[in-house]
Amino acid sequence: MENNKKIIANNENLLLDKPKNKTKLNKDHSKIITLFLINLKRVIVNKGIIAMACLFLIFSFIFTISISSNFNSSDLAIIIVKFIVQTFFFVIFLTLLINDLFKKQMTDGVQIIEIRSGIKLKNSFIMRFLLYILIAFVICFANMIITMILKPGVLFSTSISSKVLWSTIFFYFMFTIIWAPILIAINISLGAAGSVVLNIFIGTIMIFTQLISTFLIQTFTNNYNYQVTMSPSWTTRIKMSYDFYTTFKGDELVKGWFDDKFMTIISENVNNSYQNAKEGTDEDNYSDTNELNYVFSFDKWASLLNNSYNSNKPSASKESSLLFNLFAGRVNYAVNYVDTPLRLLENTKIFNLMNSVFEVVNKNFLSNDNRAPYDNANKKAFFENGGSNDIDLKKFINYLKTQNELKNYINLFDWILNTYNNYSESIDSAFQTLYSITLQTLQLTYLKSSDWRSYIEYDSENEKWINYNNRVGEVYNRYPELILINYMVLNNFTNSVKIDVNNGNSLSEILNANDSSSTETNLILTLNPFTHFISLFTNSFTDPITNDLYQASYNFAWIGPRKPIINTSELSDFDSKNRSGDISPIYENYTPEYKSLFSITGTYIFYLLFSIFLDYMAYLIFKKVSRV
């Protein structure tokens, strides 16, 4: 207590004893600088403030180091716990900081000294506010540096998880500004102890109401389960394939894909694969060697995802071989081999690209001069057993762009790379966690085995056939990028020419429900402040569409889509159940309409403007309670 009196006395002398030959403006400027340094010194030696800042940073270290390099459901759970714990200690830190800069100095008599020395109340308030911002920002920067040191690989990548981490960092800078007027107004209106308790209590309420409100919304909102499992999936599917179609409908090499005799050619290839089957072939390898009238149709295309491919021992059949090609990207395996290999998509226009890419890689498989980079050798695509989304396509795509045989496809390769980078993490998250109906929406299959013998009926005595397919398997094992490129091309091509569901429900009913549920979340997301802060904490830099699918899969604090497509019902006219003949683009007369339900930027702007208003109100209170 005696030391505090000495500090106050010294401060008074510093503020009052200024050289008289300076102008009044210089004197005021000098006094404010002196007062700023005095208060900075007070804060630095405040043990309570230092302790809370250290706890905040210690928990930052613990939670950051606990996050894996590849985000999954447990990592987003860590992020939510990080929000609760770190924000709690940050609120206490800010509360003690404000208390030291405002109430404590008023009760210690520092405010009297300032007024006597001629410092205006406005300047005194601004100086304290800026000092509060400076000190809090230093701790926020320390939090950022911890994350940069511990997780540079994640933080400086282009993944959604990187954007989530940056959001958690940025949030505390903005929260410092937004929460300040509430802390100041309460602090200067009540006693020191009472204001500290109330500010911590309000901060705690803010933190936990984010989760409680989310839980209540998830429990009582109509069709919430549908929003989680379906709306982001339909938006992602349509956005990707619509972009694919509009980008390449005028491309000379690609536009022919959309009006090809695709299903007719596949039907012929399926029948040809059986026509040359040997008599007496092992029954385990051939199911029906006499069926030569197979017709591939929209209905059969839609039903492929419901077949028995998910069993532990897939049974090879026409359907499984179609699935292996159309949904798993294995387009170069032969379904028959007489003089030359017969591939299931042979003679379709889209096959030309995928086969050209395969042949370039295969031709240089053993070359030392022009061999494709194989950094991802033996990795598995995310839709395979044991697969993940950590395959980087960039080096492989860049290699393809340098090959003369593929130079006309450079724009397509760039599109594949950008789209894969934007969506692969989200699609993988949906694949790992969501329901089978959602996987059908995204046109995803799951391969428990990647052995071609499990899917393609073959002649066990035909060595050329077996050797050829084994060779194809070697190429695919070394270059899983081929499978992913085929998947990106086939998936978006497929979704550009057909739309269907095969779960016993009407496509029209599903799409109408999708539009309805997307609209219902509008007021919930926009007007409910009890969910805003958790959204700002995790979503400040994420793209609404890719992030909706990503966080719908993993984040139990997610409450609905931020930017859904709201006119998906218009696509019900193209239901595969009502179509016949061959393919045609479904997007010729359709344009998706997006509705922004929750804007991160708009929310921050609103809170910042509201904070400025509250800052002014806090200043008026400060002015009223200041005393001489």
Side-chain angles (χ1 to χ4, degrees):
M1 187 67 180
E2 193 65 32
N3 290 333
N4 286 340
K5 291 181 179 179
K6 290 180 180 179
I7 292 174
I8 293 170
N10 291 335
N11 293 346
E12 185 171 6
N13 292 333
L14 286 169
L15 290 170
L16 295 175
D17 298 336
K18 292 292 172 186
K20 296 182 179 180
N21 59 344
K22 290 188 176 182
T23 64
K24 186 177 185 302
L25 183 61
N26 287 338
K27 284 183 179 181
D28 290 343
H29 181 70
S30 179
K31 289 176 183 177
I32 292 172
I33 292 176
T34 302
L35 186 60
F36 186 91
L37 295 175
I38 291 170
N39 281 283
L40 180 61
K41 181 180 178 181
R42 286 172 58 100
V43 170
I44 290 174
V45 298
N46 188 305
K47 295 179 181 179
I49 295 174
I50 294 173
M52 290 303 106
C54 288
L55 282 173
F56 172 77
L57 296 177
I58 288 171
F59 280 109
S60 173
F61 176 87
I62 293 172
F63 288 124
T64 303
I65 205 170
S66 300
I67 295 171
S68 62
S69 298
N70 294 317
F71 261 37
N72 53 43
S73 56
S74 61
D75 291 316
L76 267 178
I78 290 173
I79 291 293
I80 302 304
V81 177
K82 175 185 173 75
F83 169 78
I84 297 171
V85 177
Q86 269 195 262
T87 307
F88 175 74
F89 285 104
F90 194 66
V91 165
I92 299 177
F93 161 72
L94 295 181
T95 299
L96 297 180
L97 179 59
I98 287 293
N99 184 64
D100 190 89
L101 290 173
F102 285 88
K103 194 65 178 183
K104 195 169 187 302
Q105 295 196 25
M106 295 172 77
T107 57
D108 285 349
V110 176
Q111 185 67 39
I112 299 174
I113 299 172
E114 293 176 15
I115 296 174
R116 287 177 178 174
S117 64
I119 294 177
K120 296 179 179 179
L121 285 174
K122 178 180 70 174
N123 293 336
S124 176
F125 182 86
I126 293 174
M127 180 276 301
R128 284 178 166 79
F129 185 82
L130 292 178
L131 184 57
Y132 157 82
I133 295 292
L134 173 65
I135 296 170
F137 274 23
V138 167
I139 301 303
C140 292
F141 272 112
N143 176 53
M144 180 177 70
I145 290 170
I146 288 173
T147 309
M148 291 171 66
I149 292 173
L150 295 178
K151 295 295 174 185
V154 178
L155 202 60
F156 295 107
S157 68
T158 57
S159 64
I160 296 178
S161 50
S162 167
K163 295 173 183 177
V164 171
L165 274 186
W166 277 114
S167 296
T168 65
I169 293 170
F170 180 72
F171 171 81
Y172 289 110
F173 287 95
M174 300 304 294
F175 184 78
T176 296
I177 299 172
I178 293 170
W179 206 247
I182 297 174
L183 296 173
I184 295 171
I186 293 175
N187 183 250
I188 59 182
S189 300
L190 303 176
S195 66
V196 168
V197 172
L198 183 58
N199 273 325
I200 294 174
F201 176 75
I202 292 175
T204 304
I205 293 297
M206 179 276 297
I207 293 168
F208 285 98
T209 50
Q210 303 293 307
L211 302 180
I212 294 171
S213 179
T214 300
F215 172 77
L216 293 175
I217 290 170
Q218 292 177 357
T219 303
F220 296 106
T221 300
N222 292 331
N223 295 322
Y224 176 78
N225 191 55
Y226 186 92
Q227 296 167 24
V228 171
T229 59
M230 294 298 290
S231 181
S233 305
W234 278 112
T235 298
T236 300
R237 170 179 173 165
I238 295 170
K239 176 73 166 60
M240 288 176 63
S241 56
Y242 182 81
D243 287 350
F244 175 76
Y245 172 72
T246 55
T247 301
F248 296 107
K249 66 180 180 180
D251 188 285
E252 289 300 322
L253 292 174
V254 179
K255 66 180 182 181
W257 298 359
F258 301 110
D259 56 7
D260 193 14
K261 300 299 181 183
F262 186 75
M263 292 190 290
T264 302
I265 294 171
I266 289 178
S267 298
E268 293 174 356
N269 289 339
V270 170
N271 289 322
N272 286 337
S273 72
Y274 280 81
Q275 190 170 10
N276 297 302
K278 284 188 174 183
E279 293 183 4
T281 303
D282 188 342
E283 291 181 1
D284 289 338
N285 294 328
Y286 273 99
S287 59
D288 187 354
T289 59
N290 296 316
E291 186 177 348
L292 304 178
N293 59 349
Y294 181 81
V295 177
F296 187 51
S297 63
F298 282 105
D299 260 353
K300 290 181 179 178
W301 199 349
S303 66
L304 290 177
L305 291 176
N306 274 355
N307 286 325
S308 60
Y309 63 90
N310 278 327
S311 62
N312 289 321
K313 289 187 65 178
S315 177
S317 64
K318 293 183 294 295
E319 286 73 21
S320 65
S321 63
L322 282 164
L323 179 93
F324 205 45
N325 278 262
L326 292 172
F327 294 100
R330 273 42 174 219
V331 299
N332 280 90
Y333 283 112
V335 292
N336 204 335
Y337 199 119
V338 181
D339 297 319
T340 58
L342 173 65
R343 281 72 60 95
L344 204 56
L345 301 187
E346 194 108 40
N347 299 321
T348 63
K349 294 178 181 179
I350 195 172
F351 181 73
N352 293 336
L353 162 71
M354 296 181 287
N355 187 54
S356 296
V357 172
F358 180 87
E359 291 300 332
V360 165
V361 174
N362 185 35
K363 180 179 67 176
N364 297 296
F365 192 79
L366 299 177
S367 170
N368 291 323
D369 298 326
N370 195 33
R371 182 167 51 195
Y374 51 96
D375 299 354
N376 299 302
N378 296 318
K379 289 184 179 180
K380 295 183 178 181
F382 60 83
F383 47 77
E384 296 180 276
N385 187 23
S388 67
N389 69 320
D390 63 345
I391 296 176
D392 187 355
L393 290 184
K394 186 174 183 180
K395 287 185 180 180
F396 190 78
I397 290 287
N398 288 340
Y399 166 80
L400 297 180
K401 290 163 64 176
T402 64
Q403 305 304 301
N404 289 330
E405 303 95 317
L406 304 172
K407 62 183 179 181
N408 293 327
Y409 292 107
I410 287 178
N411 291 337
L412 179 58
F413 291 143
D414 286 337
W415 185 90
I416 291 171
L417 179 61
N418 292 333
T419 304
Y420 175 79
N421 288 340
N422 287 336
Y423 290 95
S424 62
E425 200 170 2
S426 294
I427 294 175
D428 179 55
S429 70
F431 182 79
Q432 300 296 335
T433 60
L434 292 183
Y435 304 112
S436 59
I437 183 175
T438 306
L439 302 186
Q440 287 188 18
T441 303
L442 291 167
Q443 300 292 282
L444 289 171
T445 184
Y446 176 66
L447 300 183
K448 289 193 174 182
S449 169
S450 56
D451 183 0
W452 65 271
R453 294 172 182 83
S454 298
Y455 302 89
I456 298 173
E457 296 177 297
Y458 67 99
D459 180 358
S460 60
E461 297 179 5
N462 190 330
E463 292 186 7
K464 285 186 178 181
W465 190 351
I466 295 172
N467 290 338
Y468 174 82
N469 277 358
N470 287 340
R471 171 64 176 182
V472 171
E474 289 178 13
V475 177
Y476 281 150
N477 286 337
R478 179 187 281 186
Y479 298 105
E481 297 95 334
L482 287 169
I483 296 169
L484 289 173
I485 289 173
N486 292 347
Y487 165 79
M488 292 299 296
V489 170
L490 281 167
N491 180 273
N492 289 290
F493 163 74
T494 296
N495 294 334
S496 298
V497 298
K498 77 177 187 73
I499 185 167
D500 46 57
V501 291
N502 198 39
N503 59 350
N505 295 320
S506 162
L507 176 65
S508 177
E509 291 177 357
I510 287 176
L511 295 182
N512 284 331
N514 181 66
D515 292 347
S516 176
S517 67
S518 298
T519 305
E520 284 179 7
T521 60
N522 189 4
L523 291 177
I524 296 174
L525 288 169
T526 305
L527 301 180
N528 183 6
F530 299 114
T531 60
H532 287 178
F533 285 106
I534 189 68
S535 295
L536 297 176
F537 185 75
T538 56
N539 298 327
S540 292
F541 299 108
T542 55
D543 174 79
I545 294 174
T546 55
N547 182 70
D548 279 343
L549 182 61
Y550 179 73
Q551 296 219 22
S553 311
Y554 283 158
N555 190 351
F556 58 83
W558 185 83
I559 61 169
R562 286 159 53 196
K563 194 176 181 180
I565 295 174
I566 58 171
N567 65 331
T568 59
S569 57
E570 295 177 17
L571 289 170
S572 59
D573 295 337
F574 301 95
D575 190 346
S576 292
K577 291 183 178 180
N578 303 321
R579 295 179 71 185
S580 59
D582 224 303
I583 63 170
S584 61
I586 64 175
Y587 294 136
E588 280 185 311
N589 299 307
Y590 172 81
T591 301
E593 295 178 10
Y594 300 90
K595 185 169 185 178
S596 182
L597 302 182
F598 182 74
S599 169
I600 296 294
T601 302
T603 303
Y604 268 129
I605 291 174
F606 168 78
Y607 278 118
L608 287 174
L609 292 176
F610 190 57
S611 175
I612 292 172
F613 169 74
L614 292 181
D615 282 327
Y616 179 71
M617 299 302 295
Y619 165 69
L620 294 180
I621 298 173
F622 175 79
K623 183 178 179 180
K624 182 177 181 180
V625 300
S626 295
R627 54 190 175 85
V628 180

